Amino acid sequence: MESESSLARPKRNFILQQGLCEPSAASCPAQYSALLFQPRVVGVIVLIAVLLQEPGIFLALGAVLWWSALVPRANPFDFFYNRTLARAGRTALEPSPPPRRFSQGMAGTFMLGIGISLAMGWKTTALVLQGLLLVALGALILGGFCLGSFLFHLLIGRSSFARHTLPWARRA
């Protein structure tokens, strides 16, 4: 049987990958859950948009994600979470640090690319981008691996740190 610390390791690694400080053992599960609020909401909206193949949903979501990346203090997902769930005793969300903002911008770019592709009738391009987006969202929501944050650390020259924040890595 795995120890409690090895069970919490993927959550800890995810929090560090997002650009946040080392969480305490007690706060780690709550902080992890709070950080996954936005991806879970986005995931549901993306599934609906994929089923409907509606470019307007992708374009709107892309704009909201870019807004969240550019103006982190005005992130509507964090605002809603902090005004509802955090008031009910859960961990409040602070404005996103750079790795998380990079990830939001990357997701927003995918959404805009999908929306434009659908609007232009480029079905194959839209389907390929949707497939990539669904894989990235699945890895994030189900596996605690944020591709955007991981790429951020690689691009700024922190490849060792990036590798150590993978869900299966032992130390970050």
Side-chain angles (χ1 to χ4, degrees):
M1 181 165 236
E2 289 188 291
S3 70
E4 185 177 329
S5 64
S6 65
L7 292 174
R9 188 176 28 244
K11 293 177 181 179
R12 174 193 169 270
N13 290 354
F14 174 78
I15 292 166
L16 295 174
Q17 188 180 72
Q18 295 295 293
L20 299 165
C21 297
E22 178 80 38
S24 70
S27 70
C28 186
Q31 190 174 11
Y32 177 81
S33 180
L35 290 168
L36 281 181
F37 176 77
Q38 178 176 322
R40 288 175 178 146
V41 171
V42 169
V44 169
I45 296 169
V46 166
L47 284 176
I48 293 167
V50 166
L51 291 172
L52 297 176
Q53 292 297 294
E54 177 56 48
I57 298 172
F58 286 107
L59 293 170
L61 194 51
V64 169
L65 287 169
W66 263 103
W67 172 261
S68 299
L70 294 172
V71 189
R73 292 194 179 280
N75 180 325
F77 299 102
D78 291 353
F79 178 83
F80 180 80
Y81 179 88
N82 287 338
R83 296 301 183 272
T84 58
L85 297 173
R87 284 193 177 178
R90 294 196 176 171
T91 302
L93 291 167
E94 297 294 324
S96 297
R100 190 166 171 86
R101 290 196 319 264
F102 180 86
S103 184
Q104 291 166 344
M106 191 172 118
T109 301
F110 265 84
M111 305 288 180
L112 293 173
I114 293 166
I116 291 167
S117 295
L118 287 171
M120 299 296 289
W122 302 335
K123 299 289 186 197
T124 303
T125 302
L127 289 173
V128 168
L129 291 174
Q130 287 172 27
L132 293 170
L133 180 63
L134 288 171
V135 167
L137 277 170
L140 176 57
I141 296 167
L142 301 174
F145 171 66
C146 180
L147 177 63
S149 294
F150 180 77
L151 290 175
F152 173 86
H153 292 295
L154 290 178
L155 290 171
I156 66 165
R158 298 184 68 200
S159 60
S160 178
F161 177 80
R163 285 191 309 277
H164 287 99
T165 62
L166 292 169
W168 53 87
R170 295 216 180 264
R171 305 187 125 236

